[in-house]
Amino acid sequence: MPRKDQVFRAPQQQIVDFTFDDAVAEVFPDMIRRSVPGYETVVPITGLIAARHVPVDGLVCDLGCSLGATTLAVLRQLGEQPVHLLAVDNSQAMLDRAKQLIPDDRVTFRCEDLQHTDVTGANVILMNYVLQFIEPGARTELLTNLCHDMAPDGLLILSEKIRYESDEDQSFYDATHLAYKKANGYSELEISQKRTALENVMIIDSEAEHRRRLARAGFRRVDSWFRCLNWVSYLAYR
Ligand SMILES: C[S@@+](CC[C@H](N)C(=O)[O-])C[C@H]1O[C@@H](n2cnc3c(N)ncnc32)[C@H](O)[C@@H]1O
């Protein structure tokens, strides 16, 4: 039974930037389920799409894998099929737990900055809710490298929180997302302390920016396959 997220429950004198440390890793399944609308649909469907796209003995890279929920979803869909899964995260606390949760020798876990991960020949690259943590100025170069290095018919599955261009839409989705978190048991204080902690580390883009960047990076076609409030998932085809 995953532990309940209480990381931001007590009042904090000084709020430091959010990190995926041991305290967060410990409660991560509960935290992400209560914070990201649609997460519990996106993960299994990502597994389904990835499993349908990867050939026998192919390569799937899960960048920013956290506890490996999406890696596990791919494996569940593949059954016994031979495949190589590379699960990457730069949080040792996350990877230590992921390794315990997924004892499958088709998976290689690697603790590194995903900006330096070798994805050569990858049939599928998964980036669920991680691009938003990469420095904005480095995002185009990262996606350009991934597109260049993946297999010629490679598929990128990218999920992100998005920003709206119109103030009216932005305030509607901000307010609704806040209500979503309250409905899931977070207090006003928890929500506001976490928002402050994320302010400098989670920088979100508009849909137009995502599409422009993916096109600039070389992806020939982009489709949004899922949306729940201000959270969107894309398929980007090399
Ligand atoms: C919101 S979580 C991703 C959730 C996960 N993909 C899932 O679907 O369950 C973001 C993860 O990305 C990792 N991360 C952030 N920046 C990274 C980087 N530069 N390199 C590797 N991992 C990174 C964090 O440690 C964290 O575990």
Side-chain angles (χ1 to χ4, degrees):
M1 186 71 182
R3 274 191 38 207
K4 192 172 163 69
D5 169 25
Q6 302 188 330
V7 173
F8 292 96
R9 191 160 200 184
Q12 297 179 6
Q13 292 283 333
Q14 197 191 355
I15 299 179
V16 295
D17 281 351
F18 187 91
T19 53
F20 292 93
D21 58 12
D22 207 55
V24 169
E26 184 68 29
V27 298
F28 189 70
D30 182 66
M31 173 185 277
I32 197 156
R33 183 185 60 77
R34 291 202 283 147
S35 310
V36 176
Y39 179 78
E40 285 166 301
T41 300
V42 168
V43 169
I45 304 289
T46 298
L48 184 78
I49 297 171
R52 287 174 53 76
H53 196 82
V54 66
V56 172
D57 254 333
L59 173 64
V60 178
C61 297
D62 184 2
L63 304 183
C65 65
S66 298
L67 301 183
T70 312
T71 289
L72 198 55
V74 178
L75 288 170
R76 285 204 172 120
Q77 290 297 326
L78 286 174
E80 299 300 311
Q81 180 181 312
V83 68
H84 305 279
L85 264 147
L86 178 60
V88 175
D89 207 287
N90 64 356
S91 160
Q92 192 65 54
M94 288 288 190
L95 275 185
D96 287 345
R97 287 170 173 80
K99 279 182 203 162
Q100 288 195 342
L101 292 166
I102 312 178
D104 189 313
D105 58 15
R106 290 172 294 177
V107 185
T108 303
F109 293 97
R110 198 170 292 158
C111 189
E112 68 184 14
D113 186 331
L114 63 86
Q115 293 170 98
H116 306 306
T117 298
D118 180 3
V119 298
T120 303
N123 303 96
V124 182
I125 297 178
L126 311 172
M127 293 185 80
N128 275 346
Y129 315 112
V130 64
L131 189 65
Q132 56 207 11
F133 292 102
I134 301 296
E135 203 265 301
R139 293 177 189 178
T140 302
E141 187 184 345
L142 167 64
L143 291 175
T144 304
N145 291 339
L146 295 180
C147 185
H148 178 268
D149 292 346
M150 70 198 311
D153 65 344
L155 174 66
L156 168 70
I157 306 180
L158 173 72
S159 304
E160 290 275 289
K161 182 179 186 183
I162 56 152
R163 176 173 57 75
Y164 285 83
E165 313 246 0
S166 104
D167 292 345
E168 195 179 353
D169 286 337
Q170 186 61 49
S171 46
F172 170 81
Y173 285 105
D174 273 347
T176 311
H177 188 216
L178 180 82
Y180 174 86
K181 287 187 279 192
K182 277 193 194 165
N184 283 333
Y186 284 119
S187 68
E188 295 260 8
L189 178 69
E190 281 176 293
I191 294 169
S192 116
Q193 293 192 135
K194 187 176 177 197
R195 188 189 296 129
T196 304
L198 281 169
E199 214 156 53
N200 298 320
V201 290
M202 178 175 159
I203 315 284
I204 61 174
D205 297 312
S206 67
E207 282 223 73
E209 183 57 37
H210 278 297
R211 286 179 178 275
R212 264 197 301 273
R213 186 189 294 122
L214 287 164
R216 225 179 294 142
F219 290 94
R220 66 182 167 81
R221 191 159 72 84
V222 176
D223 180 31
S224 61
W225 65 274
F226 185 84
R227 169 195 298 264
C228 188
L229 303 179
N230 42 347
W231 299 77
V232 176
S233 293
Y234 299 99
L235 298 174
Y237 297 86
R238 182 182 161 178

